[in-house]
Amino acid sequence: MAHIFPNMRMRRLRSNPGVRDLLQETEISLKDLIYPIFVEEEIDDFAPVESMPGIYRIPERKLDVAMKEIAAAGIRAIMTFGVSHHKDEIGSDTWNRDGLMARMIKRAKDAAPEVVLFSDTCFCEYTTHGHCGVIHDGDVHNDHSIENLGRQAVVAAEAGADVIAPSAMMDGQIAAIRSALDGSGHVNTPIMSYSSKFASAYYGPFRAAAGCDLDGDRKAYQMNPMNGREALRESDLDEAEGADMLMVKPGLPYLDVLTKIRQRSLLPLGVYQVSGEYAMIKFAAQAGAIDEVRVVRETLGAFKRAGADLILTYFAMDIARQGF
Ligand code: PBG
Ligand code: ZN
């Protein structure tokens, strides 16, 4: 056995820093990152999100300034979330051509056309009850909600969204959106599905950031965190319905799901490091318990190793500014 100790020594490849660098398997690049942003209408100043240190709700009026900074920092892609002051029972502001969603997409693309815009496609930030669709008899009505998702997607595409990213976890939403987009001439607008999205406690800080307080929970449409096989079925179905990209959300607690989807699908695959994952790192670093920059690098490295092509992360701006 020539190739075990003492003939084989793994440390040979680790002792020289130059060799170590050459052999690094995983790289994290700004071009793989998507920066989620919150845009609020009718406010004048940037509003800090207390549960997410370093994250602000951007006033719609200053979105052009913010987008120029984001682009100048080297960010290549954003995901937009609206903080609405015009909520109703069904979230109709999302398919209003003069509503917040359409306006923020236009303003962001006018200010920084080169930054790829993913439009989060859902209703919870625009409904009074905070659910991701239309309520009928106390339950979110699937088929009516996907029809409305189609309308929203068309308005977002018309406004200039580069990618439609449905996050409502309604059955058939990808097929409904694809047919609405194709029917309105947007045949080249891709869909990134939040295909395996769990009913997660890690979304806590997001609800404050996006101003969507919820009556009850989303367990009737988002997945049970204890289920892995179901997550694979969800991504298979979305692929069959015509999704162009898949996504797993949250990230770190679901690396097993990410790896398995990577092995069974050839589609580009994203992962969403969600608000709670961000907050845990930020607050632990603030307490002096961990080194933030190294922990972020290690965590995003885990996403890449597990098979993610794209990473949605609130750390994107920090990384763009200071690197690793
Ligand atoms: C809404 C939506 C949520 C997130 C993204 N889109 C919240 C939820 O489903 O409750 C969470 C993002 C985060 O926590 O960072 N459909
Ligand atoms: Zn939603």
Side-chain angles (χ1 to χ4, degrees), residues 24-42:
Q24 180 171 311
E25 298 175 25
T26 307
E27 303 288 344
I28 301 151
S29 150
L30 267 187
K31 77 179 185 47
D32 305 323
L33 305 185
I34 303 169
Y35 184 46
I37 63 169
F38 302 100
V39 180
E40 181 162 2
E41 56 187 339
E42 300 173 339

Side-chain angles (χ1 to χ4, degrees), residues 17 36 44 47 54 59-60 68 70 77 103 122 128 152 171 189 193 197 204 210 215 220 232 236 255 258:
D44 290 319
E60 183 191 355
K68 294 211 160 92
I70 286 168
R103 294 195 314 265
C122 199
T128 42
Q152 178 184 150
D171 289 318
T189 302
S193 176
K197 175 171 175 181
D215 299 336
L232 307 184
D236 286 355
L255 287 181
L258 195 60

Side-chain angles (χ1 to χ4, degrees), residues 198-200 202 224-227 248-259:
F198 291 87
S200 172
Y202 284 91
N224 182 343
M226 300 300 149
N227 293 354
V248 174
K249 175 184 174 196
L252 205 56
Y254 299 94
L255 287 181
D256 58 326
V257 172
L258 195 60
T259 303

Side-chain angles (χ1 to χ4, degrees), residues 40-119:
E40 181 162 2
E41 56 187 339
E42 300 173 339
I43 61 167
D44 290 319
D45 298 312
F46 284 79
V49 178
E50 304 296 336
S51 53
M52 300 176 72
I55 299 297
Y56 297 81
R57 294 175 173 190
I58 301 168
E60 183 191 355
R61 297 178 180 127
K62 294 183 177 160
L63 180 57
D64 40 359
V65 181
M67 282 307 301
K68 294 211 160 92
E69 269 176 42
I70 286 168
I75 302 272
R76 308 282 195 93
I78 57 165
M79 172 83 84
T80 47
F81 294 97
V83 183
S84 173
H85 294 199
H86 293 85
K87 301 185 188 204
D88 63 18
E89 276 290 300
I90 56 175
S92 65
D93 200 50
T94 57
W95 66 82
N96 171 359
R97 284 184 169 74
D98 301 313
L100 173 61
M101 180 173 290
R103 294 195 314 265
M104 77 180 166
I105 292 169
K106 273 191 212 109
R107 193 178 272 243
K109 288 301 292 184
D110 283 349
E114 72 278 23
V115 176
V116 175
L117 190 149
F118 289 69
S119 183

Side-chain angles (χ1 to χ4, degrees), residues 27-308:
E27 303 288 344
I28 301 151
S29 150
L30 267 187
K31 77 179 185 47
D32 305 323
L33 305 185
I34 303 169
Y35 184 46
I37 63 169
F38 302 100
V39 180
E40 181 162 2
E41 56 187 339
E42 300 173 339
I43 61 167
D44 290 319
D45 298 312
F46 284 79
V49 178
E50 304 296 336
S51 53
M52 300 176 72
I55 299 297
Y56 297 81
R57 294 175 173 190
I58 301 168
E60 183 191 355
R61 297 178 180 127
K62 294 183 177 160
L63 180 57
D64 40 359
V65 181
M67 282 307 301
K68 294 211 160 92
E69 269 176 42
I70 286 168
I75 302 272
R76 308 282 195 93
I78 57 165
M79 172 83 84
T80 47
F81 294 97
V83 183
S84 173
H85 294 199
H86 293 85
K87 301 185 188 204
D88 63 18
E89 276 290 300
I90 56 175
S92 65
D93 200 50
T94 57
W95 66 82
N96 171 359
R97 284 184 169 74
D98 301 313
L100 173 61
M101 180 173 290
R103 294 195 314 265
M104 77 180 166
I105 292 169
K106 273 191 212 109
R107 193 178 272 243
K109 288 301 292 184
D110 283 349
E114 72 278 23
V115 176
V116 175
L117 190 149
F118 289 69
S119 183
D120 181 83
T121 301
C122 199
F123 296 106
C124 44
E125 295 114 61
Y126 298 87
T127 51
T128 42
H129 44 72
H131 278 288
C132 302
V134 181
I135 310 269
H136 284 206
D137 301 328
D139 199 20
V140 177
H141 190 277
N142 192 85
D143 299 13
H144 191 167
S145 300
I146 63 176
E147 206 180 301
N148 289 347
L149 283 168
R151 296 167 150 180
Q152 178 184 150
V154 169
V155 170
E158 270 173 17
D162 297 292
V163 183
I164 300 300
S167 63
M169 284 300 281
M170 296 297 124
D171 289 318
Q173 63 181 9
I174 302 305
I177 289 171
R178 186 70 271 156
S179 98
L181 289 172
D182 289 356
S184 58
H186 301 286
V187 294
N188 281 325
T189 302
I191 300 173
M192 170 190 258
S193 176
Y194 284 68
S195 45
S196 301
K197 175 171 175 181
F198 291 87
S200 172
Y202 284 91
Y203 306 150
F206 174 91
R207 307 243 164 113
C212 52
D213 291 325
L214 175 67
D215 299 336
D217 58 52
R218 304 197 202 285
K219 289 180 189 166
Y221 39 104
Q222 297 181 350
M223 273 187 301
N224 182 343
M226 300 300 149
N227 293 354
R229 292 193 309 269
E230 188 185 4
L232 307 184
R233 294 185 69 202
E234 283 283 4
S235 63
D236 286 355
L237 287 168
D238 284 3
E239 180 162 355
E241 284 180 33
D244 300 285
M245 302 174 231
L246 301 173
M247 192 214 293
V248 174
K249 175 184 174 196
L252 205 56
Y254 299 94
L255 287 181
D256 58 326
V257 172
L258 195 60
T259 303
K260 285 178 187 156
I261 294 176
R262 174 67 302 148
Q263 286 163 355
R264 68 198 273 128
S265 174
L266 296 176
L267 294 188
L269 179 59
V271 64
Y272 198 141
Q273 182 189 42
V274 301
S275 56
E277 297 178 75
Y278 174 84
M280 289 197 304
I281 293 174
K282 278 283 175 187
F283 286 117
Q286 281 184 1
I290 58 170
D291 178 332
E292 179 176 326
V293 171
R294 293 180 57 212
V295 165
V296 171
R297 178 176 190 265
E298 200 171 322
T299 308
L300 301 197
F303 295 143
K304 298 287 312 241
R305 284 200 324 276

